[in-house]
Amino acid sequence: MASVRVRFAPSPTGMLHVGGARTALFNWLYARHTGGRFILRIEDTDRARSTDEAVAIIFDGLRWLGLDWDEGPGVGGSLGPYFQSQRTEIYAGYVDRLLSSGTAYEADGAIRFRMPKSPCIIRDLICGDVRFDRLEEPDIVIRRSDGSPVFHLVNVVDDIEMGITHVIRGEDHLSNTPKHMALFEALGAPIPQYAHIPLILNPNGSKMSKRDEGASIGEYIRSAFVPEAVRNYLCLLGWSPKDDREILPIDEVERLFDLGNVNRANARFDLRKLVWMNGQYLRALSPRAIRELAQPLLAAAGLADASADPAHTEAVIGLFREKLQRADELPGRAVYFFKDDYPVEPDAAARLADPANRENLRLLVPAFESLGEFTAAATEAAVRDLAAKSGQKAATFIHPCRAAVSGCTAGPSLFHMLEVLGRETTLIRLRSASA
Ligand code: GLU
């Protein structure tokens, strides 16, 4: 059997949709599984929509997901570039061939292809056999009167030219396939194998559109999701390893993935599940890797720019890591580690307004000043000691102390937090809260 050649053929629209990314991923996985080649072809015949920026969004999304292409435009491709806008002459040649064989004709300045009025069966590797009667199928325009070639033509011509063996694309294209098969036949080219991937639905059962929450890959990039987590989640949108595992390293998916085990049923998109998965991946990263991921967000929030001490930022991340679902929670939750003018929650303010609490904060100051080392263990021992001597519970020191140093009523372990804040900052905040 000829070696596998698959392609992702997006039309630049200004975003990379979750559905498009999943189509790219399944093509890439199939190429990697079979040792074939994954081709990127930009279907940019609609020049009005195909801006450089719209094309860059596709490249950025694919690179971020780690879906490297073997042929196609840009750095990733050894062959190419495959921009349909640069292939006009190739399409013109094919139109001529159809005209001279009599399978196409001119009408009102446009060129139409004679659709065969006979049934066809798509032997789809995912959907099974799908029959189309094609009896009423009108002849399709393949070149408009302004000379521009139409999607059906360019899509088929490029699949022929690029030696595509398997067309793996969204189920929304299933109804185009009888037209495409007729074009392959008329051009005397072998028909590729088809694999139409089921749709992605929202949790409420509607078809996921580009406006739905979580639909844009760009959003995940900007929110500093872990790319491997998003990719892992996309793998499960219509495919599974047939056991209960969900967290799967990509090389294992490459090994197990096959078109025959893509589900026929529609997939459900569940943002909460994706966020959960992101949390699993995030917690497995080192504080350094999380810092690198979150750095742009911290900088944008005015918390830690490029000049910030990486060790401090990583120590802060270490405190939150266990409970973090997404890196973009960090700027909101860790403000008080980076700034002195952090927000104070009403419940924390109420604690700090209580005279008994303020008295306890005053007691903490000399106790912390006299410590040799300002470690979590040392501050904890000091608090327990003070509690014992004053006949109170440790909590009557811990709660106001947390409110005084963070403005919050909850957060990471207090004593570890103090260690990261450092003695100086801790004392300044205790003094000012108890003054
Ligand atoms: N440009 C088409 C799309 O973005 C490609 C369809 C195909 O994969 O054949 O939907």
Side-chain angles (χ1 to χ4, degrees), residues 22 41 49 58 66 86 94 102 105 120 124 197 214 224 242 248 257 274 329 370 383 386 393 396 423-424:
R22 191 223 14 199
R41 172 170 96 218
R49 289 166 87 189
I58 295 171
Q86 297 174 8
Y94 277 84
Y105 60 92
C120 82
D124 194 279
I197 320 169
K242 305 280 179 256
L248 291 159
F257 184 88
L274 196 168
E329 290 167 12
S370 66
V383 166
L386 210 52
K393 286 186 180 149
T396 58
R423 187 187 329 240
E424 198 185 333

Side-chain angles (χ1 to χ4, degrees), residues 7 9-11 43 151 155 167-169 173:
R7 85 300 194 275
S11 311
E43 301 215 321
F151 162 69
N155 188 265
V167 170
I168 306 169
R169 61 184 174 189
H173 282 289

Side-chain angles (χ1 to χ4, degrees), residues 99 134 160 231 257 352 359:
L99 283 169
R134 292 201 297 200
I160 296 172
R231 185 175 62 191
F257 184 88
L352 296 175
E359 180 51 31

Side-chain angles (χ1 to χ4, degrees), residues 391-412:
Q392 303 178 73
K393 286 186 180 149
T396 58
F397 291 89
I398 290 172
H399 294 321
C401 184
R402 177 186 296 284
V405 299
S406 70
C408 298
T409 53

Side-chain angles (χ1 to χ4, degrees), residues 7-13 23 27 41-44 84 151 155 159 167-170 172-173 176 180 194:
R7 85 300 194 275
F8 176 50
S11 311
T13 59
T23 298
N27 275 283
R41 172 170 96 218
I42 304 294
E43 301 215 321
D44 59 346
Q84 288 188 329
F151 162 69
N155 188 265
D159 285 345
V167 170
I168 306 169
R169 61 184 174 189
D172 46 331
H173 282 289
N176 290 326
H180 295 185
Y194 285 100

Side-chain angles (χ1 to χ4, degrees), residues 16 23 65 101 138 160 176 185 235 258 310 375 384 389-390 421:
L16 181 59
T23 298
L65 288 167
S101 68
I160 296 172
N176 290 326
E185 276 167 1
C235 288
D258 212 341
T375 58
R384 306 231 176 260
K389 280 187 189 140
S390 61
L421 281 168

